[in-house]
Amino acid sequence: MANSSCVTEFLLLGFSSFGEFQLVLFVVFLCLYLIILSGNITIISVIRLDHSLHTPMYFFLCVLSTSEIFYTIVILPKMLINLLSILRTLSFMSCATQMFFFLGFAVTNCLLLGVMGYDRYAAICQPLYYPILMSWKVCGQLVAICIVSGFLISLVGTSLVFSLPFCDSNKINHYFCDISPVIRLACAETYINELIIFICGVLVLIVPLIFICISYGFILHTILKIPSAEGKRKAFSTCASHLIVVIVHYGCASFVYLRPSAKYTSGKDRLVTVTYTIITPLLNPMVYSLRNKDVQLAIRKMIGKTGFPLKKV
């Protein structure tokens, strides 16, 4: 990539403008990072150990939690180190590698959320055909398609960015190697590259979001036909957690990636990026555990087996 480039390393400015407040940010982000890891690992462990959760919905949640763990590992450890370090450099290849894996897991998560929307549609609108529509073979194939597609799209995006020459500034006004702040440093015309990246962004964000909206349109229509209030409440509760995560994830990602890099504003975009690189992975286990009685019960059973008494509420 970019043999003609004069830049051999990048400087991540990150939160350097915050001065001594960076130590406070380090403590806050470290705590959030540990909560993300423990929360997602708990979700994965509970789903694997409790046979009552061995269903397609929880299988996809388990895969999503695994992807979220790697997604944060790509970004947060380096960010935490930089908050305590004066030297915030990252080699050219390391920057490209970070972008590749970040985009790969990010796109995979977007596609997985779309698949989870289809799973809810099949469960609520097509209950008789659900075992066929969402057999374990189909679930495995859907996950494989999400992962392969995610990293292929990531490879395209990363190649389009790092095939450009970088010969002037090497200061990235961000806390990791994201597309907009990096491509702004290129000393060549970036219009075609940005256009292709934008089209990929539309395919990854808008198409699955439309698919999710259509799925929930059918789900809402089906739920409204359920005669009992309890039946409606139960059906809504299985979808609410997914909807919350979809709104936060797609909303923040669309704000950052469905715009030209010329409209990139470091302060505002950095805040939004913190939301989907930290808050969304944090939100996943919290939303799915706090709102889901099956997961709550499984967690209580798992803790009970460790010998810790649980107080019933």
Side-chain angles (χ1 to χ4, degrees):
M1 289 183 185
N3 293 329
S4 61
S5 175
C6 298
V7 172
T8 58
E9 64 180 16
F10 292 100
L11 177 66
L12 293 169
L13 297 180
F15 300 96
S16 57
S17 61
F18 285 69
E20 294 180 358
F21 191 65
Q22 287 179 98
L23 184 58
V24 177
L25 288 178
F26 173 82
V27 174
V28 172
F29 288 146
L30 177 61
C31 292
L32 292 175
Y33 181 46
L34 293 176
I35 294 170
I36 289 168
L37 290 180
S38 59
N40 281 291
I41 289 171
T42 299
I43 291 289
I44 294 166
S45 302
V46 165
I47 292 172
R48 285 180 61 86
L49 294 173
D50 195 308
H51 291 284
S52 67
L53 300 182
H54 290 185
T55 63
M57 181 176 80
Y58 294 111
F59 170 68
F60 292 129
L61 177 57
C62 187
V63 175
L64 181 65
S65 290
T66 305
S67 180
E68 293 281 22
I69 289 172
F70 287 108
Y71 172 78
T72 52
I73 286 173
V74 171
I75 303 298
L76 295 188
K78 180 63 178 174
M79 183 189 76
L80 290 170
I81 291 170
N82 286 345
L83 283 170
L84 297 180
S85 174
I86 298 174
L87 190 65
R88 298 182 173 92
T89 56
L90 199 63
S91 71
F92 188 90
M93 189 53 66
S94 295
C95 188
T97 302
Q98 186 186 57
M99 183 181 291
F100 170 72
F101 282 105
F102 167 74
L103 291 176
F105 288 116
V107 175
T108 298
N109 291 347
C110 285
L111 299 178
L112 278 171
L113 288 171
V115 168
M116 290 171 78
Y118 172 71
D119 171 69
R120 291 299 81 213
Y121 160 77
I124 294 172
C125 301
Q126 304 290 338
L128 296 178
Y129 296 100
Y130 184 71
I132 299 171
L133 292 173
M134 299 304 294
S135 66
W136 287 115
K137 182 181 178 181
V138 172
C139 291
Q141 290 172 342
L142 288 171
V143 167
I145 290 169
C146 289
I147 295 171
V148 172
S149 300
F151 281 93
L152 282 176
I153 292 170
S154 173
L155 181 62
V156 171
T158 307
S159 299
L160 286 168
V161 172
F162 287 93
S163 61
L164 294 165
F166 295 88
C167 46
D168 295 319
S169 175
N170 70 334
K171 295 179 180 179
I172 299 174
N173 196 9
H174 209 13
Y175 59 88
F176 71 97
C177 292
D178 205 359
I179 292 174
S180 292
V182 173
I183 206 169
R184 281 165 61 90
L185 302 179
C187 49
E189 178 55 54
T190 63
Y191 175 75
I192 298 298
N193 301 58
E194 288 190 69
L195 179 61
I196 298 171
I197 291 170
F198 177 79
I199 292 170
C200 289
V202 171
L203 292 174
V204 167
L205 293 169
I206 301 302
V207 174
L209 186 57
I210 291 172
F211 182 76
I212 290 170
C213 291
I214 293 172
S215 296
Y216 274 101
F218 284 112
I219 288 170
L220 182 61
H221 182 260
T222 302
I223 289 175
L224 291 176
K225 287 200 261 183
I226 298 174
S228 69
E230 178 61 24
K232 289 178 181 178
R233 189 201 62 77
K234 188 175 180 181
F236 271 122
S237 67
T238 63
C239 303
S241 302
H242 177 250
L243 270 176
I244 292 169
V245 175
V246 164
I247 291 167
V248 175
H249 187 91
Y250 279 91
C252 295
S254 298
F255 177 82
V256 174
Y257 293 108
L258 296 185
R259 298 177 304 158
S261 67
K263 293 187 177 180
Y264 172 80
T265 54
S266 59
K268 188 187 294 183
D269 283 38
R270 197 182 304 146
L271 180 62
V272 175
T273 308
V274 165
T275 302
Y276 72 81
T277 56
I278 298 178
I279 304 303
T280 304
L282 180 68
L283 194 65
N284 267 355
M286 290 182 67
V287 166
Y288 279 103
S289 61
L290 292 175
R291 294 189 58 87
N292 192 299
K293 289 184 178 180
D294 293 334
V295 175
Q296 289 176 13
L297 180 62
I299 291 173
R300 292 177 66 86
K301 282 165 60 179
M302 190 174 76
I303 295 174
K305 288 179 181 179
T306 63
F308 291 101
L310 288 172
K311 184 179 179 180
K312 291 187 178 182
V313 291

